[in-house]
Amino acid sequence: MVKEIQEKAERNRTLTVDAEEIPTLRQHISSIGDIKENGIVDALVNGDLYDCIDFIPDNTFDLIIIDPPYNLDKDFNGNKFRSMKEDEYEEYLRSWFYKVCDKLKQNGSLYMCGDWKCTASMQRVIEEKLTIINRISWQREKGRGAKTNWKNSTEDIWFAVKNPKDYNFNVENVMMKRKVIAPYRIDGKPKDWEETSEGNFRTTYPSNFWDDISIPFWSMPENTDHPTQKPEKLYAKLILASSNPGDIVFDPFLGSGTAAVVAKKLGRHYCGIEINEEYCLWGAKRLLIADSETTIQGYADGFFWERNTLNEQNRKKSNSVHKANRNRCVKHAQQSLFNI
């Protein structure tokens, strides 16, 4: 049940749900009975994956993003997951992964998130059903320090497909804007970079190491109290690269709703399953907000920007708005002249 909300600091934008919002939000949450009757498109399902998965037709989803419990002791709002021996964890993964793979279309893609401790187990289980294309490592800029070990500040995402000869990968949709620190010129002209009013930038192809991701924190509107919430920017890269507008994105461990929210913002359909009702309420509220607020922090003007470039992004937006307004004024003046 929803906890009592404490007063937040002025700049704390962490999403919360008030008691009076719950009846309305519940109307946007589906049950197993709902998906049996109405289908799974744009459904946020409050239920157990083991109970729901058989009601989803095979070959349904274009893209599946999975962020399962890692092999760690973790309390998910009362649903406690306990670490186990490696072979036991792999059996846990197999208990649902095989059926989830059946729901993927023949030309679909699947991404699974993990950390250093469980990533080898994930690789072995994924390869039993799919072909792995790559492993992404992304840098978590915050992490718990340790006196007897290296600070853990990266996680992995396995990228796999059913058919390695037929799958979506839209690399032009996930290009990066990087600051040019030492601009190189030929005959006085920029080489492989552009000089703009916002600064000097190079458009580059993405690699499988991502160092531009910010973990949601209290001053970001996407932030919730979910203990393992993934950033919208992280999932935006996966969705833009491996799906097309109108495709269906599935997340069997939806958590606070990030995969569904980003899919909606980017013009895709979604289906998510989450066992915890409070997390579903957060997800439902985020989905309603996404009706009018479609921005994704760190993704602007069709590019993914480095961290700490918000000022440049805002200047780019401001200049684009100014240019659009100027063009409208010119067009209006021309039409007025024509009508004289």
Side-chain angles (χ1 to χ4, degrees), residues 317-329:
K317 291 177 185 176
S318 178
N319 290 340
S320 297
V321 171
H322 176 74
K323 183 177 180 180
N325 288 338
R326 184 183 62 192
N327 289 341
R328 279 195 294 269
C329 288

Side-chain angles (χ1 to χ4, degrees), residues 26-272:
R26 280 180 174 155
Q27 296 176 21
H28 298 273
I29 298 173
S30 300
S31 65
I32 295 176
D34 292 327
I35 62 172
K36 288 165 63 177
E37 182 176 347
N38 303 318
I40 49 80
V41 178
D42 295 335
L44 193 171
V45 185
N46 183 199
D48 189 314
L49 173 61
Y50 294 102
D51 297 331
C52 298
I53 195 68
D54 289 334
F55 296 106
I56 298 174
D58 291 349
N59 304 305
T60 293
F61 302 116
D62 303 277
L63 172 62
I64 297 177
I65 300 175
I66 312 176
D67 184 20
Y70 299 172
N71 196 8
L72 301 167
D73 292 333
K74 185 68 70 172
D75 186 347
F76 295 98
N77 201 31
N79 295 313
K80 295 182 179 180
F81 191 89
R82 299 299 183 192
S83 62
M84 55 192 79
K85 294 180 181 178
E86 196 170 80
D87 59 339
E88 293 174 344
Y89 184 71
E90 289 178 18
E91 282 306 308
Y92 160 73
L93 294 176
R94 292 186 184 97
S95 71
W96 51 261
F97 182 73
Y98 284 15
K99 285 193 174 184
V100 168
C101 286
D102 291 340
K103 311 309 170 185
L104 187 65
K105 288 183 179 179
Q106 292 303 309
N107 65 343
S109 299
L110 180 146
Y111 292 92
M112 186 186 287
C113 304
D115 70 347
W116 70 270
K117 189 175 181 181
C118 64
T119 194
S121 293
M122 289 181 171
Q123 179 184 10
R124 284 189 286 269
V125 173
I126 292 170
E127 287 181 325
E128 292 168 2
K129 291 290 286 184
L130 305 174
T131 300
I132 290 178
I133 302 298
N134 209 330
R135 184 188 69 184
I136 299 160
S137 293
W138 63 281
Q139 182 184 32
R140 302 171 77 254
E141 82 282 8
K142 63 180 182 180
R144 183 174 297 175
K147 292 183 178 180
T148 59
N149 199 351
W150 306 105
K151 178 180 177 180
N152 183 27
S153 61
T154 62
E155 291 192 11
D156 292 333
I157 304 176
W158 290 102
F159 170 32
V161 300
K162 274 192 172 180
N163 183 352
K165 295 183 179 180
D166 182 19
Y167 63 92
N168 275 316
F169 193 73
N170 307 310
V171 71
E172 68 281 358
N173 292 345
V174 286
M175 302 293 282
M176 291 195 63
K177 278 277 192 180
R178 292 192 178 275
K179 283 184 176 180
V180 177
I181 307 300
Y184 181 65
R185 298 175 185 267
I186 295 181
D187 297 328
K189 297 180 180 180
K191 177 176 171 54
D192 298 329
W193 59 277
E194 59 178 338
E195 203 167 13
T196 73
S197 56
E198 296 84 41
N200 300 330
F201 289 93
R202 177 178 288 110
T203 302
T204 64
Y205 279 84
S207 73
N208 65 347
F209 175 68
W210 298 351
D211 60 355
D212 62 314
I213 304 297
S214 294
I215 298 295
F217 55 92
W218 56 269
S219 67
M220 296 169 64
E222 70 184 81
N223 189 50
T224 73
D225 283 330
H226 192 283
T228 61
Q229 181 180 347
K230 293 298 186 287
E232 291 187 6
K233 183 180 182 182
L234 183 76
Y235 279 10
K237 292 189 178 195
L238 308 180
I239 290 171
L240 284 169
S242 295
S243 70
N244 297 311
D247 284 353
I248 310 177
V249 179
F250 178 47
D251 185 342
F253 298 92
L254 188 62
S256 62
T258 299
V261 170
V262 176
K264 183 175 183 177
K265 287 184 176 184
L266 296 175
R268 278 71 170 168
H269 295 290
Y270 60 85
C271 174

